[in-house]
Amino acid sequence: MKRQNYILSILLILFISPMIFGSCTKNLDINQDPNNPTDVPENLILSALLSNFSYEVNGGYPTRVSVLWTKYLAGGIAGNHEGNYLITSSDVNNFWTSFSYSDVMNNATVLKNKAITNGNPNYSAIAKVVLAWNLSMTTDVFGDVPYTDAFKGAEGVFKPKYDKQEDVYKSIQTLLDEAIVEAASTTNALKPAADDLLYQGNMAKWTALAHTLKARFYLRLSNAPGMTASTQAKLALDELAKGAITMATQPKFAYLASTGAENPWYQYAIDGKWAVTTRPSQYYVNKLIDSNDPRLAFQATKVTAATNVDPANVGKFIGLTNEAPSNNILNYSAIAPFYSAKDAPLYWMVYPEVEFIKAEAEFLVANKTVTAAVTAAYEKAIKASMDFYGIAGTEANTYIANNVLSSSSTAAYSQIMNQKYIANFLMFEAYNDFRRTGLPALPLNNEMYPGQTKLDQPPRINQIPVRFPYPSGERLYNSDNVPADIPTDPVKAIVIPVWWNSK
């Protein structure tokens, strides 16, 4: 049971109440089903929309798969799975149909349309930010997707045409521009408040988030066909200068310690609702150990004494591979409570990303040369990542001194993106950065446990996948509109870059 289930239960009570308390009225409309309302006010739609986006998308399938491909985590189970690049067209059906399009984007569209009609532009602004963000995650993993022709079932459009990804990104920027204007409106018949589970109706925070997302998306297209990296970087810097999220306003969604309302990572990887075999990867753990990175303690746990745990492993950080270990799973580090405690918030975006956007953008604006501004931005970004965890300034300064930015353009770019990768632990954005820049230079998921001489299940392809296959549901019900250049065979589909990654 997810957090939004509580909200939906409340909605159900509200909708059933008129039937219970007004059943004696002579004006009962027998043509209206009280259990299937057709008109829900904005404040009730918003809470469920934010809950769905948090649990099903930002903390859901696209993120859970991408963190295996970017090697933050590994799946220590036997057989083929997403960790060794098995992903089928059936696997993505729920994300596409139920979560992304239905639970989030369709409801965001309903909310913005209702809010505009009712004179509530603040609600429309929030709906457009969520719609733009969800649309970006959908197009980033699939490429061309329906948008302008979507959400028109009431008009008889049941087989929507696909928009080119380049056009989707134009629509995303337009949605965010409109959201910024509407967020500034002080004329609202109904204003968001406690129903805004992210910012409690603080529209200045939503505006800063919209500007930050615009900067992220401008940088996303730095290597897209027809785009110039320095131009896109300048656009990103200009957007952040208008107002960006801060450490205090980074978007994080609250979860509860009560059963069914816990943090998604807790449910997914800690308590066994999904599995306990998804844990920090051997590659990632060793990477941070090798560089004496103090952030590791906030991202992974040390092995603790327990039945079937080798005493030699206790007190150590030990990463997992994408195969079942021969010993007990408790011999390996888990995701740290900072991210996976029952009541830990789910970070939708972290403030250090803002500083790393600035560092990379300064580097690109300078035509990939290392200037004083680039160095200062790089060091500030690392410091922001350390501050995010509350790491002492002296420890942060030592780490920065040991990771001085190189004067070599190639090495410097690698350092910037490597540090951004560590700062964005468990974030979907790392997958986009990797595809966009090739950095950090991640190896295949083919690590072995100590003493192992042969992989039981080698990677199914010899590269990290660069997209999701289109859903089998689309192939079945909307086949005429699915892009013909993407093969039906998922093994062949997942190696074809999306538009912004195809230069």
Side-chain angles (χ1 to χ4, degrees), residues 60-71 73-93 95 268 274-275 277-278 321-323 431 444-446 457-461 463-465 467-469 494:
Y61 188 77
T63 300
R64 295 201 307 264
V65 173
S66 73
V67 296
L68 297 174
W69 294 352
T70 52
K71 304 181 77 69
L73 306 181
I77 57 176
N80 283 313
H81 54 90
E82 289 95 339
N84 49 39
Y85 312 142
L86 172 67
I87 184 170
T88 71
S89 56
S90 296
D91 292 335
V92 299
N93 271 333
F95 167 58
Y268 178 57
W274 294 86
T277 51
T278 303
T321 80
N322 285 287
E323 294 199 329
Y431 180 50
L444 292 176
N445 284 352
N446 58 6
Q457 294 293 338
R460 288 166 55 83
I461 56 176
Q463 70 169 79
I464 296 172
R467 72 155 71 225
F468 285 3
I494 62 178

Side-chain angles (χ1 to χ4, degrees), residues 242-482:
K242 297 174 184 177
I245 61 169
T246 65
M247 196 75 79
T249 64
Q250 56 193 337
K252 56 183 181 180
F253 197 84
Y255 286 91
L256 308 175
S258 54
T259 301
E262 310 101 329
N263 168 282
W265 287 115
Y266 174 82
Q267 294 195 41
Y268 178 57
I270 302 299
D271 81 330
K273 283 187 177 66
W274 294 86
V276 295
T277 51
T278 303
R279 295 174 176 243
S281 78
Q282 181 188 100
Y283 167 85
Y284 189 77
V285 168
N286 290 348
K287 177 185 180 71
L288 269 62
I289 289 174
D290 291 344
S291 61
N292 295 313
D293 197 314
R295 289 169 289 189
L296 179 58
F298 296 88
Q299 298 177 348
T301 63
K302 290 181 179 179
V303 176
T304 57
T307 303
N308 297 321
V309 171
D310 185 341
N313 294 335
V314 175
K316 297 179 181 178
F317 293 107
I318 302 177
L320 200 64
T321 80
N322 285 287
E323 294 199 329
S326 59
N327 54 351
N328 190 281
I329 195 68
L330 295 179
N331 285 275
Y332 300 88
S333 299
I335 302 171
F338 185 93
Y339 292 93
S340 69
K342 289 182 179 182
D343 58 352
L346 181 75
Y347 287 89
W348 291 5
M349 170 188 273
V350 295
Y351 165 67
E353 183 186 340
V354 170
E355 299 302 337
F356 277 106
I357 289 174
K358 291 178 181 177
E360 183 188 2
E362 291 283 6
F363 180 72
L364 296 178
V365 166
N367 293 314
K368 296 185 178 179
T369 59
V370 180
T371 65
V374 173
T375 299
Y378 164 79
E379 293 181 356
K380 184 178 180 182
I382 296 177
K383 183 62 165 58
S385 181
M386 298 291 178
D387 290 345
F388 174 69
Y389 297 112
I391 294 170
T394 53
E395 198 169 2
N397 291 336
T398 298
Y399 182 87
I400 293 170
N402 291 332
N403 291 273
V404 173
L405 190 63
S406 172
S407 59
S408 162
S409 295
T410 301
Y413 203 5
S414 179
Q415 286 179 277
I416 292 169
M417 298 310 297
N418 179 68
Q419 290 297 329
K420 184 181 182 184
Y421 167 71
I422 298 170
N424 266 341
F425 181 65
L426 297 186
M427 296 290 141
F428 175 75
E429 187 62 12
Y431 180 50
N432 296 321
D433 282 340
F434 168 73
R435 289 183 291 165
R436 176 175 63 86
T437 67
L439 299 170
L442 300 173
L444 292 176
N445 284 352
N446 58 6
E447 292 84 11
M448 291 186 284
Y449 295 107
Q452 187 179 5
T453 59
K454 181 181 178 181
L455 288 172
D456 295 326
Q457 294 293 338
R460 288 166 55 83
I461 56 176
N462 63 356
Q463 70 169 79
I464 296 172
V466 290
R467 72 155 71 225
F468 285 3
Y470 280 113
S472 59
E474 283 293 285
R475 296 287 185 185
L476 183 62
Y477 298 111
N478 195 20
S479 58
D480 290 344
N481 290 314
V482 177

